[in-house]
Amino acid sequence: MRTLISTICALFVVITGLWAQNSPDCRSAIPVCADAPIMSFADGSGDIDDFDPDVIRESGCLEKGSVASANIENNTSWYVFRAGTDGQIGFDIQALPSSGTVITAEWDFALYGPDTDCASISNGSAQPIRCNYEVNDTDFTGVGVNPENGQEGAPPLTANQNTYDEWIDVLEGEIYYLLINNFNTNFDGDPEPYMLTFTGRSVDQDQNTALDCTLRDEFLGLDIIACEGDPDITLSALNSPAGPDIANVTWSVDTDDDGTIDQVLASGPAETTYVVASPNSGRYFVEIQTTLATTITDDILITFFGPPILDRVDVIEDLSDSNIIEVIMASNGSYEYAINGGEFQDSPIFENVPPGENTLIINDTNGCGITEPIPFLVVGYPKFFTPNGDGIHDAWNVLGIETLTDPTVFIFDRYGKLLKQLDETTLGWDGTFNGRPMPSSDYWFRLEYERDESGMLVANTIRTHFTLKR
């Protein structure tokens, strides 16, 4: 995951009892639904190049822009919502006056989904499905239809200066992340307010079911996968339904996620947030006592992964027509593997691995690192060789023989006559016997060696054949 650069923003929401705090981090995005508008404030101005496709030359939306050390999560607000029914969803982002009647904010947005995750968003592998960075000529931007002038949304990233994108069609259970960014070149230093309202056919039919409001019960956010060394993660009790009615907050952790609380981390009326630092993985719990004598709880699993570390490459089967290897990891993570410059695969087992030296690359799919090419040897032998002096396949030998203990190779003709004896120091057989070229034919060999199996050296013998071609 990329480094997340953010400004902690002051935010409060008081709309039909909904109380929330701004989250500048996708990993702790605020769960919301469509049953009421959400009034929010973002503190600070965004990177002025975040959305400009002429500067970014990548997705055209929400990339680093011209600031090499910046990130898409600079002075922003993150929300997460889950579709409650199949249907159509949109939203309005309305700029509100920061003081008096003056509007100084310039709101842009990006919507990610369905069912992507923050790691994919942060490392750039997930691109927004709706995104708008046009100059707002009304007080609104969003997805669907502009309520101020009736302008219908256009396909994303079309160059028509439309501040609305077209509706999204959702399926029940799909999860989406919404990033709202304040593009502002005349920022006056005060928090900038906006109103977020969900719209669309699904909302018109039933605003209580259009989005799954039970997601708000997970006010700590969805489970988080992060990388060791990532910035701290701030969990907030202020996003809970308790709102301002908090009497006491208790934080605890189950470090192994085995169902047993290992430690109470903090407790008190002022402990409304708790900061989780890398690499402290675990399931974190919050218990909120309200002034109304009710108890609200939630938990979240936070898992930090380090870069991929290889333990070993096990050769399941070699010296065969189908060499098979298995990659064994020393670290925990979600990995994909590639050998010899090929495509990545999820399985750590590879078949038909060529004999001799190969290379392995391991990538952590959470964005926590990728290895340099790692060499490994597979013992095998060429099925044929062509000793014609062209520099290609001119000699035959057992590949990877140097990895064996006390190896000896005996080469015979079809009648059992010994033609050549090789060991790990021999370059190979050039296809001659007593200086005379041997004819095109099949030749047999016997490989004798010792192999360490669970600390015991076991004698092994392989007998098979190969072809000499002229």
Side-chain angles (χ1 to χ4, degrees), residues 230-300:
D230 274 357
D232 296 345
I233 299 169
T234 299
L235 304 178
S236 177
L238 298 175
N239 294 336
S240 74
D245 300 320
I246 294 177
N248 191 74
V249 182
T250 300
W251 298 93
S252 56
V253 64
D254 174 0
T255 54
D256 301 317
D257 193 25
D258 60 2
T260 302
I261 298 296
D262 297 300
Q263 183 181 3
V264 174
L265 302 169
S267 184
E271 302 292 344
T272 54
T273 61
Y274 185 80
V275 176
V276 180
S278 166
N280 297 313
S281 298
R283 184 171 295 277
Y284 289 81
F285 297 83
V286 63
E287 181 180 283
I288 303 169
Q289 303 292 332
T290 74
T291 57
L292 305 176
T294 59
T295 301
I296 300 173
T297 63
D298 193 19
D299 64 90
I300 182 173

Side-chain angles (χ1 to χ4, degrees), residues 126 193 197 216 225 304 321 325 361 380 389 393 417-418 436-437 464:
T197 305
R216 284 198 309 227
I225 291 177
F304 289 96
D321 292 333
I325 63 105
I361 295 178
H393 305 307
K417 182 178 181 179
L418 179 63
R436 292 185 297 107
T464 187

Side-chain angles (χ1 to χ4, degrees), residues 368-395:
C368 295
I370 185 169
T371 65
E372 295 292 328
I374 303 169
F376 67 93
L377 281 170
V378 172
V379 179
Y381 65 95
K383 301 298 187 294
F384 69 91
F385 77 120
T386 55
N388 54 15
D390 65 354
I392 303 174
H393 305 307
D394 281 337

Side-chain angles (χ1 to χ4, degrees), residues 113-173:
D115 300 331
T116 187
D117 55 45
C118 290
S120 300
I121 293 171
S122 187
N123 66 30
S125 60
Q127 299 300 313
I129 60 171
R130 298 291 186 272
C131 185
N132 202 294
Y133 50 83
E134 299 294 345
V135 176
N136 298 336
D137 53 4
T138 70
D139 292 341
F140 291 86
T141 186
V143 167
V145 177
N146 189 325
E148 186 169 319
N149 60 12
Q151 186 177 38
E152 293 188 4
L157 305 179
T158 53
N160 61 1
Q161 297 184 341
N162 190 342
T163 61
Y164 266 70
D165 289 351
E166 61 187 355
W167 300 103
I168 58 171
D169 295 321
V170 300
L171 297 176
E172 181 180 355

Side-chain angles (χ1 to χ4, degrees), residues 1 27 224-228 230 233 302-306 366 368:
M1 182 181 293
R27 298 172 302 175
I224 294 173
I225 291 177
C227 302
E228 292 181 3
D230 274 357
I233 299 169
I302 300 178
T303 307
F304 289 96
F305 290 113
N366 295 309
C368 295

Side-chain angles (χ1 to χ4, degrees), residues 82-89 114-115 169-176 202 209-212:
R82 182 163 57 206
T85 61
D86 297 354
Q88 178 197 74
I89 291 292
D115 300 331
D169 295 321
V170 300
L171 297 176
E172 181 180 355
E174 290 179 338
I175 291 177
Y176 294 83
S202 297
T209 62
L211 299 182
D212 183 358

